[in-house]
Amino acid sequence: MAERFELRTRHQFAGLIERRDRWVLMRDQPEARARFEQLTGPDWARQNCGLDAISEATLWQSETLDPSRASQLQCHIAAVQTLLRLADEKEFLSGDDLLELHRILLSGVHPRAGEFRQQDATPLALGHDPIEAELVAPVIDNALGWFQSESF
């Protein structure tokens, strides 16, 4: 059973593993790094935040943004820059790293940004069974440990 699970996991994540391995080989090349930073810069953040009310991506800096949207954009850019820095500094992310990314991403948006939830969550849809609040941190640690395993 464990072997089947390992093979299924490798199959499901094969594309990610291949891209990760390719990035490891290319990340020190200035052209690759510049392209990656371009892909994860303001245009990505604008799209990820749903800031499509801005007509042209190339004009995002010259257009007047709603202050909350401008803040979201800056938080997304700061979070991806932090993620790039962490990727350079370490091989694997920790729970504290995820909380720091969460804090940066939701800074000024949510008062508990950068913390695991302390209360049980309400299901978002039929069949959704959120994990109990006190189990969130150990489950995150368990997942991060699994991501470091050879089978992943």
Side-chain angles (χ1 to χ4, degrees):
M1 181 71 172
E3 291 174 3
R4 243 180 93 207
F5 179 76
E6 182 177 332
L7 289 174
R8 183 171 180 208
T9 302
R10 281 207 173 272
H11 177 72
Q12 288 176 326
F13 292 100
L16 286 175
I17 292 168
E18 177 193 342
R19 282 187 283 263
R20 178 203 60 198
D21 292 345
R22 251 191 359 233
W23 175 245
V24 167
L25 294 173
M26 295 175 21
R27 71 177 168 201
D28 293 328
Q29 298 174 6
E31 316 81 50
R33 184 69 176 211
R35 179 65 179 142
F36 184 77
E37 289 175 359
Q38 177 189 17
L39 290 172
T40 57
D43 289 339
W44 167 83
R46 184 183 60 77
Q47 292 168 3
N48 197 40
C49 286
L51 300 176
D52 50 5
I54 302 169
S55 57
E56 292 184 38
T58 56
L59 300 176
W60 76 270
Q61 289 178 321
S62 63
E63 294 188 31
T64 304
L65 292 176
D66 171 273
S68 68
R69 286 183 169 209
S71 176
Q72 287 176 341
L73 179 67
Q74 293 309 316
C75 288
H76 268 72
I77 293 169
V80 81
Q81 289 170 343
T82 300
L83 183 59
L84 288 171
R85 180 182 53 76
L86 290 171
D88 283 341
E89 293 173 1
K90 50 179 73 177
E91 189 173 0
F92 298 103
L93 293 179
S94 69
D96 288 340
D97 296 331
L98 291 180
L99 289 174
E100 176 64 8
L101 289 167
H102 187 260
R103 185 194 62 74
I104 293 167
L105 192 61
L106 295 177
S107 178
V109 175
H110 196 281
R112 299 194 70 129
E115 300 176 19
F116 289 122
R117 65 179 162 82
Q118 302 298 312
Q119 294 140 350
D120 288 340
T122 306
L124 298 175
L126 186 63
H128 176 234
D129 187 19
I131 192 165
E132 293 85 6
E134 63 270 4
L135 296 178
V136 172
V139 166
I140 294 294
D141 287 339
N142 186 42
L144 292 172
W146 178 58
F147 296 156
Q148 295 177 39
S149 72
E150 189 60 34
S151 64
F152 185 79

